[in-house]
Amino acid sequence: MSKITAAITAVGAYVPDFVLTNKMLETMVETNDEWITSRTGIKERRILKEEGQGTSYMAIRAARDLIAKKNIDPKEIDLVLVATATPDLLVAATAAYTASEIGAVNAFSYDLQAACSGFLFGMSTAARYIESGRYKKVLLIGADKMSSIIDYADRATCIIFGDGAGAILFEPNEEGMGLQDEFLRSDGIGREFLKMDAGGSILPASQETVKNKQHYVYQDGKSVFKFAVSNMAGVAAKIMERNNLSHDDVNWLVPHQANKRIIDATASRMGLDPDKVMINIQKYGNTTSATLPLLLDDYESQLKKGDNLVFAAFGGGFTWGSIYLKWAYNS
Ligand code: UT7
């Protein structure tokens, strides 16, 4: 029997309707469209405005989009993983609620948290379940309501982040398609540079923490940028090298959308032309766990069976890594 590999067989997505443009941000903080565009590549981002709704609202809709497109029975799904840095609630898994709402009644489910690398690491986790031979359909969702932890008076963060969700289905493949190799890293030194100080076990919520705005994301952008540029490019180059992939062999770079300059540096290190680089940062900003599946959804019609995709991400923690995957279908 041939070896079982874990292939992506379907994609779905959801972004909220509300569009927050750079022009709107100019009225909220001291910034301007020219600065944001030239420093980040972002023009607008989506914000979930529905009263009382959290990350699961978007995760459920991304999953339903996939289920409808692929025309599968949700009862066949074995496992639902939700990568998120902004769960609906602490303690209760967002994935459990999401799985129930989409009718995945035979699945078990749990959340994964690795900040902007959450979805990439989730791909690794999902693939192991499929490769084991025990599970046939693993649904991986990346979803974040970043607007719930952003201070819209802080120009260092509010211009960057947006809300959204994307979903992919992993299934067994016996033709050698799917996940080929991965190189995943982390370094705890990074938590000083990108974090939310309060609401966790070190500093639980109190009147003091609310007053001090410690429930918002803090980012030392310059330091994160330096680590991100060298590490994201480094792992992508490493995965090419150890799989003997030249720049001609790579059909697509699927990079985390944090900053256009980080993406360009990664592509340049890999020797890739810009037309092989997936990009949608201009319309969604940084949606944390949702950037990679939102890219796949946008580019799905251009992907061909056998295409070599190199994924790369860098995020809080620090966490980062690269995955090499062969696309499994023509749409
Ligand atoms: O996804 C998780 C990982 N995160 C990342 O990968 C993000 C990495 N970091 C970045 O993308 C960039 O560092 C930022 C986009 C956050 C900031 O860009 P930068 O080129 O590093 O800017 P900077 O922080 O060095 O600031 C440059 C100047 C400063 O002014 P002075 O001191 O040179 O006069 C800032 O005060 O730009 C100023 N500035 C702004 N000006 C207008 C900072 N933020 C803004 C703003 N609008 N929003």
Side-chain angles (χ1 to χ4, degrees):
M1 211 179 93
S2 49
K3 189 179 160 227
I4 298 171
T5 48
I8 297 176
T9 58
V11 179
Y14 174 82
V15 290
D17 293 333
F18 184 85
V19 179
L20 177 63
T21 64
N22 290 351
K23 284 278 163 212
M24 291 172 179
L25 284 167
E26 285 181 6
T27 67
M28 297 157 66
V29 289
E30 206 182 319
T31 191
N32 58 76
D33 176 45
E34 201 285 315
W35 191 96
I36 302 173
T37 307
S38 62
R39 298 281 179 139
T40 70
I42 303 167
K43 296 299 275 184
E44 56 189 45
R45 61 292 289 143
R46 301 300 181 99
I47 305 293
L48 183 66
K49 290 281 190 185
E50 269 72 7
E51 194 69 28
Q53 296 294 347
T55 292
S56 67
Y57 182 89
M58 298 182 289
I60 290 162
R61 278 155 183 77
R64 284 185 185 146
D65 181 47
L66 180 150
I67 289 165
K69 271 164 67 183
K70 177 79 174 165
N71 195 19
I72 54 164
D73 180 350
K75 292 193 188 73
E76 291 172 16
I77 299 170
D78 300 304
L79 165 61
V80 176
L81 295 169
V82 174
T84 185
T86 53
D88 281 3
L89 304 166
L90 292 180
V91 184
T94 301
Y97 182 72
T98 301
S100 294
E101 287 295 302
I102 62 173
V105 291
N106 295 313
F108 70 109
S109 55
Y110 60 94
D111 293 353
L112 284 165
Q113 209 289 74
C116 293
S117 306
F119 192 84
L120 187 87
F121 289 10
M123 288 173 65
S124 165
T125 308
R128 293 301 92 74
Y129 282 102
I130 295 292
E131 289 160 2
S132 75
R134 188 184 294 255
Y135 304 95
K136 307 291 180 216
K137 282 187 171 49
V138 176
L139 181 66
L140 171 64
I141 304 169
D144 268 302
K145 184 182 170 185
M146 294 306 292
S147 61
S148 65
I149 54 170
I150 293 299
D151 177 4
Y152 285 92
D154 176 10
R155 69 176 184 175
T157 51
C158 75
I159 58 142
I160 299 167
F161 293 99
D163 301 339
I168 59 176
L169 185 68
F170 272 105
E171 292 185 275
N173 185 285
E174 293 192 10
E175 294 177 303
M177 299 293 134
L179 202 147
Q180 307 292 312
D181 193 16
E182 61 186 36
F183 186 63
L184 310 178
R185 314 294 304 148
S186 62
D187 186 344
I189 190 184
R191 80 171 177 180
E192 286 312 310
F193 304 109
L194 179 48
K195 59 182 172 174
M196 192 173 94
D197 273 319
S201 53
I202 293 179
L203 191 60
S206 68
Q207 288 185 3
E208 199 66 13
T209 60
V210 173
K211 199 178 84 200
N212 294 338
K213 293 187 158 197
Q214 289 168 300
H215 299 272
Y216 291 126
V217 168
Y218 161 82
Q219 177 170 246
D220 170 354
K222 219 188 255 296
S223 300
V224 178
F225 186 88
K226 272 190 224 149
F227 279 98
V229 164
S230 66
N231 286 315
M232 202 162 117
V235 288
K238 171 112 185 161
I239 211 105
M240 283 174 72
E241 187 191 310
R242 78 178 188 191
N243 289 281
N244 295 318
L245 294 171
S246 75
H247 56 88
D248 285 333
D249 300 322
V250 176
N251 299 98
W252 294 100
L253 168 63
V254 193
H256 173 54
Q257 308 282 295
N259 187 313
K260 174 83 164 50
R261 290 183 289 146
I262 299 172
I263 297 166
D264 290 346
T266 304
S268 157
R269 176 91 178 267
M270 296 167 73
L272 292 188
D273 290 338
D275 61 354
K276 288 184 168 184
V277 182
M278 292 191 189
I279 187 125
N280 60 13
I281 193 171
Q282 69 284 359
K283 54 180 184 170
Y284 300 140
N286 182 350
T287 54
T288 302
S289 309
T291 59
L292 301 181
L294 284 175
L295 284 173
L296 292 178
D297 191 68
D298 275 353
Y299 283 83
E300 187 184 22
S301 64
Q302 296 182 53
L303 298 175
K304 293 186 196 64
K305 185 174 174 182
D307 276 357
N308 289 320
L309 276 57
V310 173
F311 294 74
F314 185 90
F318 292 129
T319 53
W320 70 99
S322 183
I323 285 180
Y324 164 35
L325 176 138
K326 275 190 183 292
W327 196 249
Y329 63 95
N330 299 311
S331 30

